[in-house]
């Protein structure tokens, strides 16, 4: 089957390439419909990654967050026209002890493996999760990012030694908003505090108990557990504050990605007996849990609709380039493409 793939061949240069796909009785074919841009996609698009990484990864189709409609399925698991979220992790093996998103042999879309900017996605049923009817397509487009937060929160809960009287979340961006929304929904009686740099962004977090700018935190503030959703060089400062403010025997979930090593206060961490939980990406089971969460918590789902920053219909390569540039200028929320190319 001939398929057209829109690959990034060099920074800000996208080319359409035809590829002959193999189809068998286990194949499911999905027509992408709504795609969402991630910071990682922008780093490839703008050439912000190192030259050695770009040489290794490109050419490659971008985007790992998205949904589509079933156009072919001989397995009988899905019906034609079903909306499905596409799981970007593609495992090459199974392990009883290590989840698929942590296996070194697993491939990940838009990271050395073609992402979702394709005419069709040729895959298997275990990489697809049905989107429930009450979930809007522009929210379902970033199911993957919500599932990453769900996975991190699940790991945090398993590591907790003390009652979650209060949870502090560092990060006022998309990931911080998603995480705070889930935490407040799952822990309605827990005090949820969000710490960020931007006063305007913090205003979107009206559903939490308190928000603080990181340079103006009252002396009496302390927290039972914490989530770091900052990433980059800012994660060092966030962790310094977390370790200072967290109570003994607290648990810290690490979610932000830093390209370079950061300093870390081991002495105070040891003195307080802190537990650190690191998480990355998500699995099919996290996608299913995300869909159930969106169904069970309609108020949280409504808040996720507020996270759609910009939206644009994509019909050609020029539209793709235009939208990536628009995303660079976007100050709040997820950038979602209605994929009609």
């Amino acid at each position: 089957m001939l398929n057209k793939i829109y690959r990034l061949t060099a920074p800000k240069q996208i080319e359409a390439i035809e590829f002959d796909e193999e189809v068998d009785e286990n194949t499911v074919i999905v027509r992408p419909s709504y795609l969402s841009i991630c910071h990682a996609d922008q780093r490839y698009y703008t050439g912000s990654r190192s030259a050695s990484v770009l040489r290794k990864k490109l050419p490659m189709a971008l985007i790992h967050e998205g949904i589509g409609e079933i156009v072919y399925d001989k397995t009988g698991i899905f019906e034609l026209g079903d909306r499905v979220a596409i799981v970007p992790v593609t495992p090459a093996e199974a392990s009883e002890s290590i989840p698929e998103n942590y296996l070194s042999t697993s491939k990940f879309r838009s990271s050395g493996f073609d992402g979702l900017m394709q005419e069709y996605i040729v895959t298997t049923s275990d990489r697809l999760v049905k989107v429930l009817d009450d979930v809007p397509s522009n929210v379902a487009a970033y199911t993957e990012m919500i599932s990453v937060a769900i996975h991190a929160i699940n790991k945090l809960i398993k590591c907790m030694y003390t009652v979650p009287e209060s949870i502090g979340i560092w990060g006022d961006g998309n990931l911080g908003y998603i995480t705070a929304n889930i935490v407040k929904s799952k822990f309605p009686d827990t005090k949820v505090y969000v710490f960020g740099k931007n006063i305007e962004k913090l205003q979107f977090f009206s559903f939490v108990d308190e928000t603080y700018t990181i340079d103006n935190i009252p002396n009496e503030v302390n927290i039972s557990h914490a989530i770091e959703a900052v990433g980059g060089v800012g994660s060092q400062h966030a962790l310094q504050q977390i370790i200072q403010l967290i109570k003994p025997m607290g648990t810290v979930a690490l979610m932000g990605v830093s390209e370079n090593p950061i300093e870390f206060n081991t002495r105070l961490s040891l003195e307080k007996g802190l537990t650190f939980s690191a998480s990355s990406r998500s699995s099919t089971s996290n996608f299913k849990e995300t869909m159930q969460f969106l169904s069970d918590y309609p108020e949280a789902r409504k808040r996720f609709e507020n996270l759609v920053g910009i939206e644009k219909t994509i019909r050609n390569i020029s539209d793709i380039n235009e939208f990536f540039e628009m995303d660079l200028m976007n100050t709040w929320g997820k950038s979602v493409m209605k994929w009609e190319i």
Side-chain angles (χ1 to χ4, degrees), residues 263-320:
E263 291 184 9
F264 185 80
N265 189 338
T266 55
R267 178 176 293 278
L268 192 52
S269 299
L270 296 172
E271 286 179 8
K272 290 188 174 185
L274 304 182
T275 299
F276 292 86
S277 168
S279 62
S280 177
R281 297 175 176 170
S282 58
S283 64
T284 301
S285 64
N286 301 131
F287 271 69
K288 291 177 179 177
E289 188 178 348
T290 297
M291 289 302 170
Q292 196 58 54
F293 174 86
L294 292 173
S295 178
D296 292 345
Y297 297 93
E299 192 173 344
R301 185 177 69 242
K302 199 70 182 173
R303 291 189 199 115
F304 282 134
E305 293 179 34
N306 296 334
L307 194 60
V308 178
I310 56 174
E311 197 170 343
K312 178 181 171 66
T313 299
I314 304 299
R315 294 191 174 94
N316 51 52
I317 291 176
S318 294
D319 287 342
I320 297 173

Side-chain angles (χ1 to χ4, degrees), residues 19-133:
F19 186 74
D20 194 8
E21 304 270 15
E22 291 185 13
V23 176
D24 59 30
E25 65 275 8
N26 296 315
T27 298
V28 181
I29 302 176
V30 179
R31 168 70 176 155
S33 56
Y34 285 81
L35 309 179
S36 178
I37 293 179
C38 169
H39 288 313
D41 297 311
Q42 276 290 9
R43 286 194 289 270
Y44 286 119
Y45 180 78
T46 57
S48 301
R49 298 295 302 273
S50 67
S52 60
V53 169
L54 292 175
R55 280 195 300 270
K56 183 180 178 181
K57 302 282 188 178
L58 303 185
M60 171 182 70
L62 299 178
I63 307 294
H64 60 267
E65 302 175 12
I67 65 168
E69 294 183 358
I70 299 292
V71 296
Y72 175 94
D73 179 18
K74 290 297 184 183
T75 69
I77 294 173
F78 300 102
E79 295 183 7
L80 296 185
D82 277 352
R83 292 186 305 158
V84 289
I86 303 158
V87 181
V89 172
T90 304
E93 61 178 317
S95 170
E96 293 183 2
S97 57
I98 303 174
E100 62 187 29
N101 47 310
Y102 294 111
L103 289 169
S104 60
T105 53
S106 291
K107 295 188 292 185
F108 191 82
R109 291 191 182 277
S110 76
S111 181
F113 174 47
D114 279 325
L116 304 181
M117 291 206 314
Q118 305 186 39
E119 187 177 6
Y120 297 102
I121 303 298
V122 178
T123 185
T124 51
S125 61
D126 63 318
R127 298 299 95 198
L128 303 170
V129 174
K130 188 173 178 180
V131 177
L132 302 181
D133 292 341

